[in-house]
Amino acid sequence: MSETWLEPRVRLRDNPIGIAQARRRLRRRQALPTLAIVLLLSLSAAFYGSLTGEWLGVRSSLLVLFGILLFLGGVTQVATTVSEDRRSRLLDFHRATPTTPFTDALGYAIGSVAREYAACGAVLPFAIGATLLAGQSLLALGVGLLDIVICGWLYHAFAMNLALSSDRKRIPQSAGVIVALLYLVVFPLSRAGAGVLAHLTPIPTLAVLGVVAGGEDLTGFTFYGAPLSPLVFSFFAKGYLIAFLFWSAARKLRREGAHAFTRHGALAFFAITEFVWLGPVWSQLGAPARVALGGAVFAAIALTLACVLGASLVPQYLEYARCARRAARRASAPHWSEEGASAWPLIPAFALLVWLGTAAVVALPSASPGPAAALLSFEALLMTASSVAVIAFAIGAVEFLRLGMRGAAKSGTFFVGFVTLVLPWIAGSIVLASSLEPGVAYYVFACSPVFAGGGSIGLWAGALALDPVDPLRAHHVVLSCAVTAALATWFLLRGAALRRAIRSESPAP
């Protein structure tokens, strides 16, 4: 019986990385200044409350301090620790130890934030006192703090994945900036139909519990038309993301350069994300205008996520070469679900999931002009074709560049992305500013796959709302779809030629 077999899947109490990181972060000389600053801020808030009697405001301020410590300080610290250990090759040592990648991921996520957790512990008595003096429920405060901690786990898992995926030294600062931007865009996007994004923050939970204002906006919350507590949905929405992100981090901790998900895992993540996102807005999409807006937002987000996930599953040159050698020894072609295999079979899978999600939006009995017309109209068929073309372009271009350019794939991807996704918009804007005929500029915009995807979604949403979008005339979008399909076909054919060349170099079985 081997020692590896006896190793638990996740070590909780005796996690070696967690213990080592916690000891490092809680050294007296480094931790005391942070704790002193937090205590002084808490005492200042308590002094303000004693003078004014506004204990609810004091509690809100202390909760903001909780968020700053866990969301900004914790995220930056996790990303910094993982980045430093990755650059110093310490992660290679951890890969050689008997502990599992899940144990290592948990150790980094918890141990690296030990100082921030200690600082939150110093704030906790003041938050409890302010709650009692305000005559509010301690149970509500406890549930709200639990949601804040869970949000912290979500952001820390995200920061860990970011640090494991990039070699840039500014990743720690970037992780904190991304989390801060979430709070700037979440509410405008929520008003536009992406309401689930608000539940990636603790604000809806705190509002329902009465800890902060705004709970009346969540009255009558439903999930696919069925009444559901916003607390349950919020915990579920964050919980499945935490599970997938920790799984992704464990895969990257197990092997440098590993993909975030397996092929099946990426499809499952995409399907669950669609299911979770659509549930809260299902009962709100009654009028044609709201169905059109919700469908457009959903289709745009789903198409973008499909392109990102599909491109992330494209193998590097060495990955595909190893996969081809394994297949040669088996005397068979690489299976589509095998890591290192070509990603082109994922194109119809992701396109189908995008279509199914969009179909669910318009499958409401009250939707106008009806599900059949919304899915079989010219605009709907054009959007479906554009989605397939855009996903095929993203996967085909990345695969061609990774197999053909090898070490220069990142530079090639940046160049192709700029030429196809950015340059047409710059050139079209110049034409639009200097020409009296906007149609000329739209022909330039049509050279970008972004116009094919976004324009087809706009046409479909306009037809669904019985209010067509005039500037986006159909022939511009058809042209853009044709250009995108041509680019995708060229990249896929060139990628197929590269794959044949690589297989021909593989040893015979």
Side-chain angles (χ1 to χ4, degrees):
M1 189 176 296
S2 65
E3 291 295 328
T4 303
W5 186 85
L6 294 174
E7 178 66 24
R9 189 171 183 82
V10 180
R11 287 184 177 270
L12 298 176
R13 295 195 310 174
D14 55 346
N15 190 302
I17 292 182
I19 293 173
Q21 292 295 334
R23 287 175 176 173
R24 179 183 67 86
R25 292 280 292 151
L26 292 176
R27 289 172 183 165
R28 185 174 300 176
R29 290 186 177 181
Q30 287 82 12
L32 280 180
T34 301
L35 294 176
I37 292 173
V38 169
L39 284 173
L40 289 174
L41 290 174
S42 302
L43 286 170
S44 300
F47 180 65
Y48 172 80
S50 65
L51 293 178
T52 63
E54 297 180 2
W55 292 106
L56 287 177
V58 171
R59 185 180 64 175
S60 298
S61 301
L62 295 175
L63 291 177
V64 171
L65 183 57
F66 265 96
I68 292 174
L69 289 170
L70 290 182
F71 301 164
L72 297 182
V75 163
T76 303
Q77 189 57 48
V78 170
T80 300
T81 302
V82 176
S83 295
E84 289 177 352
D85 285 3
R86 189 180 177 214
R87 287 196 298 269
S88 65
R89 314 298 296 180
L90 188 58
L91 287 184
D92 293 334
F93 169 77
H94 292 315
R95 292 185 179 108
T97 60
T99 56
T100 66
F102 289 98
T103 295
D104 297 342
L106 183 65
Y108 277 115
I110 302 298
S112 302
V113 201
R115 188 183 302 172
E116 285 70 22
Y117 284 126
C120 289
V123 180
L124 183 58
F126 295 93
I128 293 175
T131 301
L132 291 175
L133 291 171
Q136 300 295 312
S137 170
L138 286 179
L139 178 60
L141 175 67
V143 176
L145 291 176
L146 175 62
D147 194 50
I148 291 177
V149 172
I150 292 176
C151 275
W153 293 347
L154 173 63
Y155 305 154
H156 300 161
F158 166 76
M160 189 161 42
N161 277 273
L162 200 62
L164 290 169
S165 303
S166 177
D167 297 325
R168 295 184 179 181
K169 294 183 179 180
R170 293 186 178 273
I171 282 298
Q173 293 82 357
S174 301
V177 170
I178 292 173
V179 171
L181 288 176
L182 172 65
Y183 285 82
L184 295 178
V185 303
V186 65
F187 295 108
L189 288 177
S190 295
R191 295 189 185 97
V196 71
L197 292 178
H199 290 270
L200 301 184
T201 73
I203 295 175
T205 298
L206 295 175
V208 170
L209 295 171
V211 178
V212 297
E216 61 278 359
D217 296 336
L218 295 170
T219 304
F221 184 87
T222 60
F223 189 73
Y224 288 100
L228 181 70
S229 170
L231 300 179
V232 175
F233 175 79
S234 186
F235 286 131
F236 175 74
K238 287 189 280 284
Y240 94 91
L241 285 175
I242 292 172
F244 273 103
L245 287 174
F246 265 96
W247 178 34
S248 172
R251 286 175 53 81
K252 293 178 180 294
L253 286 170
R254 180 185 294 113
R255 179 173 62 86
E256 179 72 20
H259 297 283
F261 303 120
T262 62
R263 305 290 175 89
H264 292 102
L267 292 173
F269 173 77
F270 186 70
I272 294 174
T273 299
E274 283 192 312
F275 173 77
V276 172
W277 182 86
L278 186 57
V281 299
W282 176 266
S283 60
Q284 302 174 13
L285 303 177
R290 295 192 65 87
V291 173
L293 178 60
V297 173
F298 178 88
I301 295 177
L303 182 58
T304 303
L305 183 59
C307 291
V308 172
L309 285 175
S312 71
L313 296 172
V314 172
Q316 301 285 349
Y317 174 84
L318 290 178
E319 282 184 298
Y320 185 79
R322 296 189 187 104
C323 180
R325 286 195 291 268
R326 291 194 300 267
R329 287 193 291 268
R330 298 194 308 263
S332 64
H335 193 265
W336 72 270
S337 64
E338 184 178 358
E339 285 197 49
S342 174
W344 77 262
L346 296 171
I347 296 172
F350 278 115
L352 177 62
L353 288 174
V354 172
W355 185 87
L356 288 175
T358 308
V361 174
V362 299
L364 295 168
S366 59
S368 178
L375 296 175
L376 299 178
S377 63
F378 168 77
E379 292 82 4
L381 295 177
L382 180 61
M383 183 180 67
T384 302
S386 297
S387 298
V388 175
V390 170
I391 296 172
F393 167 78
I395 292 178
V398 173
E399 184 167 82
F400 167 74
L401 293 168
R402 287 185 176 178
L403 297 182
M405 299 189 68
R406 304 187 187 182
K410 288 185 178 180
S411 300
T413 303
F414 178 81
F415 174 76
V416 171
F418 175 79
V419 170
T420 58
L421 305 181
V422 178
L423 187 60
W425 294 94
I426 296 176
S429 299
I430 294 174
V431 173
L432 190 63
S434 59
S435 175
L436 298 177
E437 176 55 46
V440 178
Y442 281 101
Y443 283 114
V444 181
F445 292 146
C447 297
S448 173
V450 176
F451 187 86
S456 62
I457 292 172
L459 282 176
W460 175 75
L464 201 62
L466 306 178
D467 183 20
V469 183
D470 292 334
L472 296 175
R473 291 191 291 268
H475 63 275
H476 293 128
V477 181
V478 171
L479 174 62
S480 184
C481 182
V483 171
T484 303
L487 289 172
T489 302
W490 188 86
F491 280 122
L492 289 173
L493 290 176
R494 295 300 302 160
L498 289 170
R499 293 196 301 273
R500 286 194 297 270
I502 295 172
R503 288 198 299 271
S504 66
E505 299 171 357
S506 302

